[in-house]
């Protein structure tokens, strides 16, 4: 993950080395719900039998993470933040074959 996303510094630490947090703007979040793809499932099912990385699922997870981060950053931008600290991720099953990826953190103004 790049530390700067759409002009906002995004870190998983409570502080930002070399910067001072001047204002806390609250919790921000972003999420996406993704469903499995029948063609992707077929090829990855074969890979699961012979072993190795499930590349298409890795790509799906990366896409989901980027989308959730983008939505979290949009939330922070709307509040006037310059950074998001203490970023975390969570996942949950929504229904059979679909899952949510949730990104959250604390929006701050940092100098």
């Amino acid at each position: 993950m790049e530390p700067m996303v759409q002009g906002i510094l995004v870190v998983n630490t409570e502080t930002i080395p070399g910067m001072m947090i001047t204002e806390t703007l609250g919790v921000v979040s972003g999420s996406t719900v993704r469903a499995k793809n029948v063609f992707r499932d077929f090829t990855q099912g074969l890979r699961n039998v012979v072993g190795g990385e499930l590349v298409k699922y890795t790509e799906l997870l990366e896409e989901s993470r980027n989308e959730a981060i983008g939505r979290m950053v949009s939330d922070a931008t709307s509040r006037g933040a310059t950074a998001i600290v203490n970023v975390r991720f969570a996942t949950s099953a929504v229904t059979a074959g679909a899952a949510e990826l949730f990104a959250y953190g604390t929006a701050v103004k940092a100098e």
Side-chain angles (χ1 to χ4, degrees):
M1 181 172 81
E2 293 293 318
M4 291 292 282
V5 179
Q6 301 171 20
I8 299 286
L9 183 61
V10 178
V11 298
N12 66 348
T13 55
E14 292 179 16
T15 61
I16 304 167
M19 298 184 83
M20 175 182 276
I21 294 174
T22 60
E23 189 176 348
T24 300
L25 303 170
V27 175
V28 290
S29 63
S31 68
T32 185
V33 176
R34 296 289 180 107
K36 292 180 178 180
N37 174 303
V38 68
F39 299 110
R40 192 179 313 200
D41 288 347
F42 177 74
T43 61
Q44 296 308 282
L46 293 175
R47 169 84 59 171
N48 197 26
V49 170
V50 297
E53 180 182 8
L54 302 176
V55 176
K56 294 299 181 185
Y57 285 151
T58 300
E59 291 170 0
L60 179 63
L61 184 56
E62 184 175 351
E63 291 168 7
S64 299
R65 195 169 38 247
N66 290 337
E67 189 167 312
I69 290 169
R71 291 176 178 172
M72 177 182 65
V73 166
S74 293
D75 188 5
T77 300
S78 72
R79 298 178 193 212
T82 58
I84 306 171
V85 297
N86 220 18
V87 172
R88 301 288 184 258
F89 297 95
T91 60
S92 62
V94 174
T95 186
E100 175 189 37
L101 191 138
F102 183 67
Y104 61 98
T106 304
V108 298
K109 288 188 179 181
E111 300 175 345

